[in-house]
Amino acid sequence: MRWGLCPPRPGTAVLAVARNLCGPSLLPCRLGWRGSRRLLVRSVTGATNQLPNPDRGKYRDTVLLPQTNFSMKLLGRQQPDTELEVQQKSGFLELYSWQRERKVKSEFCLHDGPPYANGDPHVGHALNKILKDIANRYHMMKGSKIHFVPGWDCHGLPIEIKVLSELGEKAQNFSAVEIREKARSFAKAAIEKQKSAFIRWGIMADWNNCYYTFDRKYEAKQLRLFYQMYDKGLVYRAYKPVFWSPSSRTALAEAELEYNPEHVSRSIYVKFPLLKPPPKLASLIGDSSPVSCLVWTTQPWTIPANQAVCYMPDSKYSVVKCATSGEIYILAADKVTSIASILETTFETISTFPGIDLENGTCAHPVIPDKVSPLLPANHVTMTKGTGLVHTAPAHGMEDYSVASQHNLSMDCLVDEDGIFTDDAGPELQNKAVLKEGTDVVIKMLEAAKNLLKEEKLVHSYPYDWRTKKPVVIRASKQWFINITDIKTTAKELLKKVKFIPGSAQNAMIEMMDRRPYWCISRQRVWGVPIPVFHHKTKDEFLINSQTIEHIIQLVEQHGSDIWWTLPPEKLLPKEVLSQIGGPDALEYAPGQDILDIWFDSGTSWSYVLPGSDQIADLFLEGKDQLGGWFQSSLLISVASKNKAPYKAVVVHGFTLGEKGEKMSKSLGNVVNPDVVINGGQDQSKEPPYGADVLRWWVAESNVFTEVTVSPSVLNAARDDISKLRNTLRFLLGNVTGFNPKTDSIPAKDMYVIDQYMLHLLQDFASKITESYKQYDFGKVVRLLRAFYTRELSNFYFSIIKDRLYCNHENDPKRRSCQTALAEILDVLVRSFAPILPHLAEEVFQHIPYVKEPRSVFRTGWISTSSVWKKPGLEEAVESACAMRDSFLGSIPGKNAAEYNVIIVIEPGLLFEIIEMLQTEETSSTSQLNELIMASQTTLLTQEPLEITADVIKLEGTFLINLEGGDIREESSYKVIVMPATKEKCPRCWKYTAESSDALCPRCADVVGGK
Ligand SMILES: [Zn+2]
């Protein structure tokens, strides 16, 4: 019988009932035990934890300190150099083809959105490519064959403009072919730079078979898709207002615009004098005062092109008398007060009438004498801005254009490709830039005609050319379009079945598609794929058919699209067609001068790259700008071609920004260059070499679904995180030396409770990590990982197991039990971060003493977990002991825990049984309980000892046991009695467990003696 034990008191009856509910005693055998809440393991704080010291004299060689060549820290160049070495040793470049050759059933296909081949690799590239690589490496380790063919968007204005600006004045003397040649070399140089950066970042891909939109086979495939759509009647040519960039001299697509919220326009209020009153209003309007319709516009330069004034038939309008001028005005009834106030006057309402009554009225053009501007009904008129009467210039507005088509108005455009008024605009305006002096002259003309009521500056969001950063205009010109009305309906239906991450991106994309009226696919440039059409030299006719297209596709496939500019027109046409249209000598057709929109280029990539007959990727992963760009163009072309979406899932990430969320720019000095991040800058004390893994960790930990900030402090924090992880790994590697899992492992059921508990936590960690990767939530992976290696491992587990690892006999099952857990932890940990930090993972893998082959962790699969680790009752045992340990440590701040003995007193009951799992003897210095308590010796009692000295510290606490999903809830109290150790300090393990100061403690004597 234990000393101090007394019979149970009446109060313990409740406990007895609870015990009966749980069946027979001895916790580890009970099934169905589970805590209804997860208790947090508290880290060891408040006391020092002295460890065996290597300089411990004669017993030094008997202590099993960690042994590994894995460096604790990589300083300076060591970090990037080690990564390069790891890439070599573990075969980064061969991994892609290795995994392709595996005989596995499932395939994961991530279709790479092509970055522009114009310029150096930047952090935006890093964000995108690293996210893709993490996804790919995860799926590959899970057992899927990865299909990932990287590509580049090689054509287009961005490159052409760079080439032209480099050529400067000389550009005018260059032919289309010469400019194309220069653009091609420019793109090739950019591709080489970007590609080598991507490889350096550790991106696993089919680097030998990348796709390029300037590849002749790619171009041929694209022309085939173009004709397919033409043949279905989806492609048409029309004279329409489109976004036009005077600074680039070309039409632009919606995706090529950037809206500047700070744009300042000169907005004007203009009178359109009534010429012929609407019949229904004739009686209202006398001859005494002049009557005018009031309009408002932010683009005064479009006034000369005015063809009508539109009203909303269902809205109310008023005839008012102006207090200042005495003139009569017509405007929307709702706007009477606000417009009067803007014009700094008052209006007296004479009459209010429905808009429909304005029918059949006409106005005089405010600056062009004798020109009539009819009043027309239109549904696009809104009452939110302006006067409710809308100035309509069909050549300069999409809605104006549709009114004009309905009423057969002239759509003449008075503005040329440079944004300059043509001669048709009249002598006052010709040769003037519409957005500059042209606007000024129009306003002066209005003033002179006494039709200007007010001019004011308006700050509003206005479209700019994304390349030249200059404002665009809307201008009618002859262009090629894709009719997307029907395609959009199908596309929107198909999008509903696509998984979007984040989910909100789905609606954003649908809304963007809704706003797109048609797709203008022609550009008036040379660096691109030609629109394969021949135009009649004199008539407004063009030639394209299956014969001409087949001939051109064959030529392009063999020689590339340069042939459009190099071959004479008669060679571009097949013989049969040529003879039908009069033969080579009388050829009346010339090849068209338009090229295809680059969004059409890249939008066809799925058909060139994706494998299988259905050509559907598992994932597209790009920045949010692609919701209106590549995600959309790929979808529209895929739907037009085969009525299917080209992707099953879409992940959308934000943009990279500076530390405070500002844009990166050279002038702000906040541009983060990935090469400098990896290799360090000029001053390495300010810009140290971090290596690629820091860049990858930053990408993974960022909340990529919003804007992603990057700065020196963010990168420093990433390096510190990795450095802590490195130390954790070094501890694991050092302590599995001399351990062979095949022969030395301890079966789970025989392991220490605390070791089993760690495996239980590991199991939980592994399943959460796997789920987070599956959801592409890499930020969560990092958070879970960081919590696990700092809290559960470094601060908790590693701080209590050192005595067992270092001081027990090498083959002691207790030590082997710990090593079994450490080996499992190492295995799971290295896999859990491998997709994010492949260099560190491979470096660690090469240092695992018992792993000889293969040389790469990526060739050994994903985390394998076992349900054996999920053992009931473990959490309660370890966590209640930790609670007691924390009371103890809290009472001896700053002191060495080994200088104390601890008595734990718990009344008989559930808690006692649980704690008894950890220590069967009454007093022990080597038990599991004593290891957790960290004292020199722990005694477990059911009643306070009768005789205790005065200098003890008595602590009390309670622990809530919550079992069977809350069916059994029991709060048990315990006492912790802390007293100075009574024995002497053992010179080997430094615990106060030796009989005399020059003798070893019994455990150490046994270990040393047994050697
Ligand atoms: Zn000892």
Side-chain angles (χ1 to χ4, degrees), residues 415-677:
V415 179
D416 74 6
E417 294 171 347
D418 290 308
I420 308 281
F421 276 118
T422 60
D423 296 354
D424 292 344
E428 278 173 283
L429 291 168
Q430 70 184 56
N431 298 330
K432 298 203 164 56
V434 296
L435 293 176
K436 293 181 180 156
E437 64 269 44
T439 295
D440 208 43
V441 173
V442 170
I443 291 173
K444 287 200 174 114
M445 288 165 77
L446 284 165
E447 254 171 352
K450 298 198 176 4
N451 283 327
L452 182 73
L453 284 173
K454 189 178 173 86
E455 182 206 330
E456 58 184 6
K457 289 205 163 38
L458 175 80
V459 178
H460 63 145
S461 180
Y462 189 84
Y464 275 52
D465 182 331
W466 69 328
R467 300 313 308 181
T468 61
K469 312 286 178 200
K470 294 205 171 126
V472 303
V473 295
I474 293 173
R475 173 182 175 271
S477 61
K478 275 227 160 167
Q479 302 291 344
W480 290 94
F481 296 88
I482 295 179
N483 180 355
I484 54 172
T485 316
D486 295 341
I487 307 174
K488 264 191 340 190
T489 313
T490 317
K492 283 194 284 183
E493 278 309 304
L494 291 168
L495 269 192
K496 287 178 192 160
K497 289 175 204 147
V498 173
K499 182 180 168 69
F500 274 80
I501 299 174
S504 56
Q506 193 164 32
N507 275 338
M509 185 163 162
I510 290 176
E511 277 167 25
M512 278 181 157
M513 276 204 323
D514 273 336
R515 283 207 297 272
R516 187 174 199 162
Y518 40 73
W519 182 2
C520 173
I521 53 165
S522 45
R523 297 290 182 273
Q524 290 64 53
R525 308 298 314 185
V526 298
W527 181 226
V529 176
I531 294 183
V533 173
F534 298 86
H535 292 269
H536 196 278
K537 285 176 181 165
T538 52
K539 296 179 208 159
D540 190 15
E541 284 172 9
F542 56 82
L543 170 67
I544 176 172
N545 58 42
S546 58
Q547 288 167 300
T548 64
I549 197 79
E550 203 50 55
H551 184 69
I552 291 161
I553 285 173
Q554 276 180 26
L555 286 171
V556 168
E557 209 160 21
Q558 284 168 28
H559 310 287
S561 62
D562 274 352
I563 49 107
W564 193 253
W565 289 269
T566 53
L567 288 186
E570 60 272 19
K571 289 268 170 61
L572 291 171
L573 287 163
K575 278 183 193 140
E576 321 81 88
V577 176
L578 198 59
S579 61
Q580 283 163 20
I581 57 171
D585 300 331
L587 190 58
E588 291 192 296
Y589 285 87
Q593 295 298 304
D594 293 343
I595 58 165
L596 282 161
D597 175 17
I598 43 163
W599 294 103
F600 192 87
D601 265 32
S602 59
T604 62
S605 63
W606 57 266
S607 88
Y608 183 73
V609 177
L610 295 186
S613 52
D614 64 348
Q615 297 199 295
I616 298 174
D618 291 292
L619 184 64
F620 274 39
L621 187 161
E622 304 297 332
K624 63 180 181 183
D625 48 337
Q626 303 307 337
L627 288 171
W630 188 62
F631 292 145
Q632 212 179 98
S633 58
S634 301
L635 175 69
L636 293 173
I637 296 175
S638 176
V639 170
S641 155
K642 54 178 188 171
N643 253 343
K644 281 191 177 129
Y647 34 69
K648 291 179 196 157
V650 171
V651 171
V652 187
H653 61 76
F655 298 137
T656 47
L657 298 172
E659 191 163 26
K660 295 179 189 102
E662 75 283 8
K663 269 195 170 182
M664 281 191 222
S665 72
K666 278 186 187 154
S667 56
L668 287 173
N670 62 350
V671 177
V672 174
N673 178 345
D675 182 53
V676 172
V677 173

Side-chain angles (χ1 to χ4, degrees), residues 714-728:
V714 168
L715 294 167
N716 262 328
R719 181 186 56 182
D720 292 348
D721 278 345
I722 297 176
S723 164
K724 280 177 202 148
L725 175 59
R726 212 180 156 84
N727 277 331
T728 307

Side-chain angles (χ1 to χ4, degrees), residues 986 988-991 993 1000-1001 1003-1004:
C986 166
R988 182 170 176 269
C989 70
W990 285 16
K991 278 186 173 180
T993 45
L1000 289 174
C1001 72
R1003 185 268 312 261
C1004 289

Side-chain angles (χ1 to χ4, degrees), residues 692-856:
D693 273 359
V694 163
L695 200 60
R696 298 180 62 108
W697 183 264
W698 156 70
V699 167
E701 81 166 329
S702 300
N703 179 4
V704 299
F705 305 123
T706 61
E707 307 303 9
V708 185
T709 57
V710 61
S711 65
S713 62
V714 168
L715 294 167
N716 262 328
R719 181 186 56 182
D720 292 348
D721 278 345
I722 297 176
S723 164
K724 280 177 202 148
L725 175 59
R726 212 180 156 84
N727 277 331
T728 307
L729 293 159
R730 187 164 185 269
F731 181 89
L732 289 163
L733 288 168
N735 284 298
V736 294
T737 300
F739 175 77
N740 181 351
K742 280 191 188 132
T743 52
D744 302 331
S745 280
I746 302 290
K749 65 179 176 33
D750 301 331
M751 285 169 80
Y752 249 42
V753 168
I754 173 67
D755 300 335
Q756 291 184 39
Y757 172 76
M758 284 316 292
L759 295 187
H760 162 72
L761 291 187
L762 190 67
Q763 160 85 20
D764 192 44
F765 166 74
S767 59
K768 283 180 182 153
I769 285 276
T770 306
E771 187 56 29
S772 306
Y773 273 113
K774 213 167 124 190
Q775 301 299 330
Y776 304 106
D777 192 350
F778 309 139
K780 195 170 179 191
V781 171
V782 168
R783 290 194 296 281
L784 288 165
L785 191 63
R786 198 159 39 198
F788 191 72
Y789 71 70
T790 54
R791 200 175 63 206
E792 325 277 29
L793 295 180
S794 287
N795 293 352
F796 171 62
Y797 190 51
F798 294 174
S799 67
I800 58 170
I801 55 178
K802 287 171 186 161
D803 178 71
R804 185 155 45 116
L805 279 172
Y806 302 170
C807 299
N808 279 6
H809 191 274
E810 186 179 7
N811 289 320
D812 187 332
K814 293 173 185 169
R815 185 168 179 273
R816 292 304 194 200
S817 163
C818 186
Q819 286 182 311
T820 306
L822 291 179
E824 294 283 7
I825 291 168
L826 179 59
D827 189 78
V828 171
L829 201 59
V830 74
R831 285 170 215 285
S832 72
F833 69 79
I836 297 171
L837 305 174
H839 301 92
L840 181 62
E842 296 288 40
E843 190 191 345
V844 170
F845 203 67
Q846 285 161 11
H847 282 86
I848 299 178
Y850 43 80
V851 174
K852 305 292 178 224
E853 282 295 328
R855 58 183 176 152
S856 162

